[in-house]
């Protein structure tokens, strides 16, 4: 079985093709091979604006989708007719970007006469952890059974658009127990990057710069004294702007100070995040912690989580599958198929920019 995964919720045009390796036709299998994982990033376009401009993202998706699709077919060495399902991230995300994806998917589904599996982007970020322990790195074949996640679990999504805590009984039964009341953590790192004059997206650049500095500046930990499991990052950003302005009054922002500022900001953001994750773990006593979303590409955050939650099994996606991609959408589609969800077609598929998890 071949599943095409299409991701256009934000600024990455991602198309992947995964193969479900099954000896008998129609039998579910745990063996998954990634035949193609093509991504066209738009960093350069949005960089000069310091963040994603929805209308420009849509324009780029429209331009890139046919190219990325052809590249994926070529990489996978398959004909379009061999595709069995089209998994498509229908939300949450930027409405114009989702609309560009929808137009492409409708056209493709009509042309190939294949059903569409509507996928929640956030579900994709969590389920992709099932591909995280490929022992044989040379092979692109993954055994879903080898990542046997024990439930109940706490799910944590840390991306450019979301910061969410979930209490999960399994991948289909969960409740939201906390979320950000203002900025998402990735958005906050991107804004801090902008303040330091770093290119968008700031998250990976802050990580790199932070390694050369020390967290010598103290920044606030918003919401720490509130008993709930919600996050807030807007106050941290404001405090950072004020700190940088104060320093600028006294001296030039040289590379050394910038590195210390990056290290201080990153530490404050992660401390504030993990403070609430720790509280959730104490409250719900899960067996595992599953973390997904672009910010978990950050090695410092990964190490912090591993050392902080030693008693738990911790699951992360492979680093190259942490940020938005089509593989997680195709994989989520496969899990949904096994749950017999309602499939859509070119007449019925729809997007929902504000869809929650
Ligand atoms: O999941 P994602 O690709 O897109 C959304 O769904 O939002 O996440 C993008 C976010 C951006 O804010 C980006 O700065 C952040 O993930 N990010 C990182 C790293 N790589 C990407 N943040 C910190 N460290 C990284 N290495
Ligand atoms: Zn995402």
């Amino acid at each position: 079985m071949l599943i095409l995964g299409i991701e256009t919720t934000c600024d990455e045009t991602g198309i992947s093709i995964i193969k479900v390796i099954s000896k008998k036709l129609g039998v579910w299998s745990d063996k998954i091979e990634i035949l193609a994982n093509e991504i066209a990033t738009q960093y350069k376009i949005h960089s000069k604006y310091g963040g994603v401009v929805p209308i420009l993202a849509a324009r780029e998706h429209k331009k890139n989708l046919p190219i990325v699709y052809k590249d994926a077919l070529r990489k996978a060495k398959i004909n379009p007719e061999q595709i069995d399902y089209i998994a498509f991230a229908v939300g949450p995300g930027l409405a114009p970007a989702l609309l560009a994806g929808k137009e492409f998917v409708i056209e493709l589904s009509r042309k190939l006469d294949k059903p569409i599996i509507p996928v929640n982007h956030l579900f994709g970020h969590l389920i992709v952890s099932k591909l995280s322990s490929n022992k044989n790195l040379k092979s692109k074949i993954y055994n879903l059974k080898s990542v046997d996640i024990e439930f109940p679990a706490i799910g944590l999504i840390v991306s450019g658009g979301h910061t969410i805590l979930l209490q999960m009984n399994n991948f289909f039964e969960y409740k939201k127990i906390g979320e950000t009341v203002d900025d998402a953590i990735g958005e906050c790192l991107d804004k801090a990057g902008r303040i330091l004059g770093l290119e968008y997206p700031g998250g990976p650049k802050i990580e790199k710069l932070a390694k050369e500095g020390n967290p010598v500046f103290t920044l606030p930990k918003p919401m720490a004294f509130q008993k709930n499991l919600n996050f807030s990052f807007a106050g941290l950003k404001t405090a950072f702007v004020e700190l940088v302005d104060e320093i600028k009054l006294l001296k030039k922002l040289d590379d050394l100070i910038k590195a210390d500022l990056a290290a201080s900001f990153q530490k404050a953001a992660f401390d504030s995040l993990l403070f609430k994750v720790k509280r959730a773990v104490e409250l719900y006593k899960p067996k595992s912690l599953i973390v997904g979303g672009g910010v978990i590409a950050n090695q410092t955050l990964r190490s912090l989580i591993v050392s902080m939650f030693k008693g738990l099994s911790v699951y992360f996606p492979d680093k190259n599958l942490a940020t938005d991609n089509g593989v997680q959408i195709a994989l989520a589609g496969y899990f949904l198929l096994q749950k017999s969800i309602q499939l859509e077609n070119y007449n019925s598929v729809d997007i929902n920019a504000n869809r929650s998890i």
Side-chain angles (χ1 to χ4, degrees):
M1 179 196 294
L2 294 181
I3 306 177
L4 187 76
I6 301 188
E7 158 64 43
T8 63
T9 60
C10 191
D11 60 342
E12 311 276 21
T13 313
I15 300 198
S16 80
I17 299 166
I18 65 165
K19 180 179 183 180
V20 181
I21 304 169
S22 176
K23 285 197 183 107
K24 272 198 212 141
L25 207 70
V27 175
W28 304 122
S29 153
D30 288 307
K31 291 228 169 64
I32 301 284
E33 183 174 4
I34 300 175
L35 299 186
N37 178 23
E38 300 303 299
I39 297 169
T41 64
Q42 306 177 5
Y43 292 164
K44 289 219 167 79
I45 310 278
H46 302 289
S47 195
K48 49 181 173 280
Y49 303 99
V52 181
V53 183
I55 220 75
L56 293 183
R59 191 190 70 187
E60 289 303 298
H61 284 311
K62 271 188 201 158
K63 195 174 81 191
N64 291 334
L65 275 162
I67 303 167
V68 180
Y69 172 62
K70 271 199 191 126
D71 285 349
L73 290 176
R74 201 176 311 125
K75 264 271 169 63
K77 298 191 179 75
I78 62 153
N79 298 315
E81 295 74 33
Q82 288 173 266
I83 294 165
D84 295 293
Y85 297 95
I86 303 167
F88 169 50
V90 293
L94 306 170
L98 287 164
L99 197 61
K102 177 181 159 181
E103 281 167 11
F104 181 80
V105 165
I106 285 178
E107 186 65 30
L108 196 65
S109 160
R110 183 183 286 132
K111 208 162 106 190
L112 302 178
D113 193 23
K114 300 292 170 176
I116 299 162
I117 314 170
V119 170
N120 185 310
H121 174 82
L122 300 175
F123 177 55
H125 272 312
L126 285 178
I127 203 88
V128 76
S129 276
K130 290 285 279 178
L131 300 183
S132 63
S133 75
N134 190 10
K135 301 276 186 308
N136 183 358
L137 286 175
K138 277 197 187 128
S139 147
K140 289 222 170 74
I141 299 177
Y142 293 80
N143 188 348
L144 297 177
K145 267 209 183 119
S146 68
V147 186
D148 194 11
I149 300 175
E150 273 191 295
F151 288 94
I154 291 290
L156 172 68
I157 300 169
V158 280
S159 72
H162 297 87
T163 311
I164 297 177
L165 267 175
L166 301 168
Q167 192 279 327
M168 305 171 72
N169 291 333
N170 55 56
F171 275 113
F172 296 93
E173 220 182 282
Y174 51 79
K175 69 169 186 227
K176 199 194 283 178
I177 52 172
E179 67 185 321
T180 181
V181 295
D182 41 54
D183 291 353
I185 185 163
E187 183 184 1
C188 169
L189 287 163
D190 293 340
K191 284 179 180 168
R194 200 171 157 188
I195 293 161
L196 292 179
L198 305 172
E199 258 189 22
Y200 173 83
K205 275 119 203 155
I206 293 235
E207 173 176 28
K208 200 162 162 233
L209 195 56
K211 285 189 182 136
E212 286 152 34
N214 294 302
V216 292
F217 300 105
T218 310
L219 286 155
K221 210 194 284 175
M223 309 286 278
F225 299 107
Q226 290 190 20
K227 280 219 159 20
N228 61 40
L229 296 173
N230 289 335
F231 308 95
S232 165
F233 293 101
L236 177 60
K237 187 203 69 192
T238 309
F240 191 61
V241 173
E242 284 167 7
L243 173 67
V244 173
D245 284 349
E246 261 174 49
I247 294 173
K248 273 189 191 158
L249 284 178
L250 300 171
K251 50 188 161 187
K252 198 175 158 271
L253 270 197
D254 61 22
D255 288 351
L256 230 66
I257 296 179
K258 274 193 188 171
D260 284 347
L261 281 166
S264 307
F265 187 84
Q266 185 176 261
K267 182 176 184 318
F270 291 169
D271 279 355
S272 159
L273 176 85
L274 296 181
F275 184 79
K276 290 296 174 97
V277 180
K278 189 161 173 274
R279 185 174 281 170
V281 166
E282 283 161 4
L283 261 168
Y284 289 92
K285 300 183 177 46
K287 291 182 177 153
S288 317
L289 177 61
I290 311 167
V291 192
V295 179
I296 201 60
N298 187 297
Q299 187 54 52
T300 310
L301 180 60
R302 286 176 178 246
S303 307
L304 274 173
I305 291 178
V306 169
S307 60
M308 195 166 189
F309 300 104
K310 284 214 170 79
L312 293 181
S313 306
V314 178
Y315 298 93
F316 302 134
D318 280 351
K319 263 193 182 176
N320 66 325
L321 294 176
T323 45
D324 291 351
N325 63 81
V327 171
Q328 64 187 25
I329 305 307
L331 185 72
Y334 179 51
F335 274 82
L336 291 169
L337 261 187
Q338 293 174 68
K339 283 275 157 190
S340 321
I341 58 123
Q342 196 194 324
L343 297 172
E344 306 288 348
N345 63 30
Y346 46 82
N347 284 318
S348 59
V349 66
D350 210 356
I351 50 171
N352 185 347
N354 300 318
R355 198 177 164 136
S356 73
I357 177 96

